[in-house]
Amino acid sequence: MMQRRFGVGLASGEACVGRGVMTSIRRGPWWTVPFLQIGRLRNILVPDVGEDVPFVIENYPYRDPFGRETVTFVREYVVREKRRRFDATMIRDGDRVVDYLGTHQHLAVDLDLTVDDRGGLELRSDAQRFYEGPVAFSFPMFLSGRALLREWFDDADERFHVDLKVSNERFGFLFGYRGSFTCEWLSATDAPARVKPRRHERRT
């Protein structure tokens, strides 16, 4: 099931739409709120907290304007009647996977992916780069966070489970969520405009 979910692509001709519940969405101390609110403006971070929050994650394959195969990872939540989105699009660049975050792909993040003992995915974020027009620089990690995401399929309840923690190397825990969902597979060789970024970034 994990292979099928992360096998979404142009070759497979499949998209994956997951629907479920976040049993908890958490954030760090009060001083993390401005940081999270800034990220919310471009769908990079979610500032809200809650329990039993319904969500949808949409994984669609498409070819971006630069000819790169791309997969969307767009998550949408409804927290106290407020709709929040966390937008990401992933490409493969040589031997690495690059995750563009936000509506305008401002942040490009290198990802390290491994398989754990139960056949689940462990994803760790690494170096980050900021791009906006002519501006380009390596984003200092002391001002940002590193993500650790674990996702696995449980044969007992036939659901995918996800656990995310974002932490700063100096200040500790910033944001995280935990939940489960089921998936529907759809035929697709393109993504709906609503889940594509408003701007695509050529630089990796």
Side-chain angles (χ1 to χ4, degrees):
M1 294 299 288
M2 290 293 293
Q3 288 176 343
R4 185 177 184 186
R5 170 157 159 68
F6 288 95
V8 165
L10 296 176
S12 68
E14 281 191 327
C16 178
V17 178
R19 293 180 174 86
V21 173
M22 291 297 177
T23 53
S24 68
I25 300 178
R26 303 174 294 138
R27 67 175 178 229
W30 63 268
W31 47 262
T32 64
V33 175
F35 174 81
L36 296 173
Q37 288 287 3
I38 292 172
R40 178 185 63 82
L41 297 176
R42 291 295 172 89
N43 292 354
I44 295 176
L45 290 169
V46 177
D48 304 283
V49 298
E51 295 181 351
D52 298 327
V53 176
F55 79 99
V56 177
I57 178 167
E58 298 184 83
N59 302 117
Y60 280 90
Y62 71 98
R63 199 167 297 281
D64 76 7
F66 309 114
R68 303 173 303 190
E69 182 173 2
T70 306
V71 178
T72 67
F73 282 79
V74 174
R75 305 159 183 87
E76 184 171 87
Y77 312 81
V78 180
V79 185
R80 291 183 292 278
E81 299 183 354
K82 296 178 182 177
R83 289 193 175 274
R84 305 294 196 197
R85 269 180 53 155
F86 174 52
D87 290 14
T89 44
M90 293 188 190
I91 67 163
R92 184 170 182 175
D93 182 46
D95 293 332
R96 63 177 175 166
V97 175
V98 177
D99 191 13
Y100 289 105
L101 302 182
T103 56
H104 292 65
Q105 295 192 339
H106 284 308
L107 279 178
V109 181
D110 292 344
L111 300 181
D112 179 26
L113 296 92
T114 57
V115 177
D116 65 19
D117 293 339
R118 62 187 164 195
L121 173 73
E122 286 195 0
L123 180 154
R124 290 176 170 81
S125 65
D126 198 0
Q128 302 179 10
R129 296 163 297 282
F130 180 87
Y131 300 122
E132 173 56 41
V135 177
F137 59 87
S138 294
F139 203 84
M141 293 310 298
F142 73 89
L143 293 176
S144 187
R146 294 186 185 273
L148 171 59
L149 180 143
R150 294 185 172 96
E151 184 171 321
W152 66 98
F153 184 79
D154 190 330
D155 291 313
D157 62 9
E158 298 185 333
R159 296 177 69 86
F160 292 90
H161 293 257
V162 62
D163 188 339
L164 170 75
K165 294 178 183 177
V166 180
S167 302
N168 178 274
E169 59 190 26
R170 179 175 180 181
F171 299 110
F173 176 76
L174 298 177
F175 172 77
Y177 57 68
R178 181 181 297 114
S180 68
F181 57 97
T182 59
C183 283
E184 175 187 8
W185 278 270
L186 310 171
S187 296
T189 54
D190 197 5
R194 60 182 169 76
V195 297
K196 290 181 180 179
R198 299 177 191 173
R199 177 183 72 90
H200 286 85
E201 175 58 57
R202 179 188 294 271
R203 293 163 292 187
T204 59

